[in-house]
Amino acid sequence: MKSSPVSTGDKLATIEEFIAGPGTYQWIDGYIRASILGVLQIDLAQRVISVRNFRSKPAYPKPGDNVLGVVDSLSDDVAFIDIFLVENRDVKSAKFTGVLHVSQVSDKYVKSLYEALGLGDIVRARVLSSRSPFQLTTKTNQYGVVMAFCNKCGSIMKRRDSETLLCTSCGSIEARKISLKYVVK
Ligand SMILES: [Zn+2]
């Protein structure tokens, strides 16, 4: 397999040499041409020529996607999350802004987001909307904080039970909405 970039209409090969695969078409002049902008792929064994889409767009979050982000700002009602990763995408994620409302944090009643999150915490969340800022939810035990830092000393905290974390450096105990995927058990 060889690959190189091509643009729409480019002559790729003759119809005597190759079979027109995905992303190509045969034209009346006897040439196979690119029907899309992308990367040329030549399969010499099968004698198939094709063009694969460029994956130049960042992984734009969609409803239902799972994302990881950092808690960037926090109030009683709303947290802003800097999304840095969209799970299960084979392209590099760009930065997006997510919004988590207090009513979407947990299946249980949460009065204030300060009971569930800390600034700088990393959260795993599910995307609810298709436009930025992306509405997020951390309901169900798969979602919530996956890594948290002690409010007193800044150390990474250890999971203590399903609702609290322990700082092994200073002994502080803090409440969070903790994901089952919390990294330090
Ligand atoms: Zn501490």
Side-chain angles (χ1 to χ4, degrees):
M1 282 272 224
K2 287 202 305 183
S3 60
S4 61
V6 294
S7 60
T8 310
D10 279 359
K11 282 182 189 175
L12 306 176
T14 65
I15 55 174
E16 288 82 27
E17 293 172 299
F18 283 98
I19 299 160
T24 73
Y25 62 97
Q26 287 183 27
W27 190 233
I28 49 170
D29 58 6
Y31 283 95
I32 297 168
R33 291 169 180 266
S35 63
I36 56 169
L37 182 72
V39 179
L40 177 66
Q41 305 224 294
I42 301 170
D43 185 336
L44 289 171
Q46 302 292 321
R47 290 166 40 88
V48 174
I49 199 156
S50 56
V51 179
R52 186 169 52 83
N53 259 326
F54 274 130
R55 295 216 174 115
S56 55
K57 280 195 171 178
Y60 203 75
K62 297 192 306 288
D65 277 343
N66 296 326
V67 296
L68 292 178
V70 178
V71 179
D72 183 51
S73 76
L74 197 55
S75 68
D76 284 326
D77 298 333
V78 177
F80 284 90
I81 314 283
D82 276 345
I83 297 168
F84 63 85
L85 182 84
V86 182
E87 290 183 8
N88 301 319
R89 299 287 182 86
D90 57 357
V91 288
K92 190 172 172 286
S93 298
K95 284 224 173 186
F96 297 99
T97 301
V99 176
L100 180 61
H101 187 260
V102 67
S103 63
Q104 287 293 342
V105 172
S106 173
D107 296 311
K108 293 180 190 168
Y109 173 70
V110 176
K111 194 180 166 209
S112 163
L113 282 171
Y114 290 103
E115 297 168 11
L117 301 173
L119 271 181
D121 285 359
I122 296 172
V123 296
R124 181 170 188 261
R126 194 162 60 82
V127 177
L128 298 174
S129 68
S130 53
R131 287 211 189 114
S132 181
F134 296 91
Q135 305 294 316
L136 303 175
T137 179
T138 55
K139 287 184 181 183
T140 81
N141 57 14
Q142 295 294 313
Y143 303 101
V145 174
V146 294
M147 192 190 286
F149 302 92
C150 175
N151 277 323
K152 286 185 182 156
C153 75
S155 302
I156 292 180
M157 301 193 84
K158 200 178 143 186
R159 187 186 161 116
R160 181 171 174 262
D161 56 37
S162 63
E163 293 176 343
T164 60
L165 301 172
L166 169 71
C167 176
T168 51
S169 299
C170 75
S172 179
I173 291 170
E174 296 178 15
R176 292 289 196 282
K177 163 55 170 89
I178 303 166
S179 165
L180 275 184
K181 294 180 182 284
Y182 194 84
V183 292
V184 192
K185 302 266 156 81

